[in-house]
Amino acid sequence: MTWALTLSALLMGLAGSWHCAVMCGATSAAVQRACSRGGRSAPAWWGFQLGRLLGYALAGAAVAASVAVLAQIGQWSPVLRPIWALAHAAALSLGLWLLW
């Protein structure tokens, strides 16, 4: 892995942590509060966090696998290369729009 890729992943993780805190913070706090009522706060909370981590990991793996397959298909067929380029342009446009 190159340093540029590692650094960009680190910066994206740091920037995305605010999004995650705002998006999932209230839900996680509500689940933690609900779990602590029955006296089983630690195991239930860790189970909830482990489930979230596993869910995100599986969703990320599915997306990565589908993008990898799409990239291989794009290399096999010259007809699909413009569609692949449009998908990259759309992702870049979405990222710039979200940044704005």
Side-chain angles (χ1 to χ4, degrees):
M1 191 179 295
T2 65
W3 285 105
L5 183 61
T6 305
L7 181 63
S8 65
L10 175 69
L11 291 176
M12 287 177 64
L14 288 174
S17 63
W18 290 104
H19 167 78
C20 292
V22 171
M23 192 96 176
C24 299
T27 306
S28 296
V31 169
Q32 185 177 2
R33 179 176 286 177
C35 290
S36 66
R37 286 191 197 135
R40 54 183 171 86
S41 64
W45 185 79
W46 281 109
F48 170 69
Q49 296 300 337
L50 182 63
R52 279 184 55 216
L53 180 67
L54 186 62
Y56 280 123
L58 289 175
V63 168
S66 65
V67 168
V69 168
L70 238 124
Q72 288 178 349
I73 290 172
Q75 289 177 354
W76 291 337
S77 176
V79 175
L80 294 178
R81 284 191 183 148
I83 296 172
W84 187 242
L86 284 174
H88 281 258
L92 178 65
S93 299
L94 176 64
L96 290 173
W97 181 73
L98 289 173
L99 183 63
W100 178 72

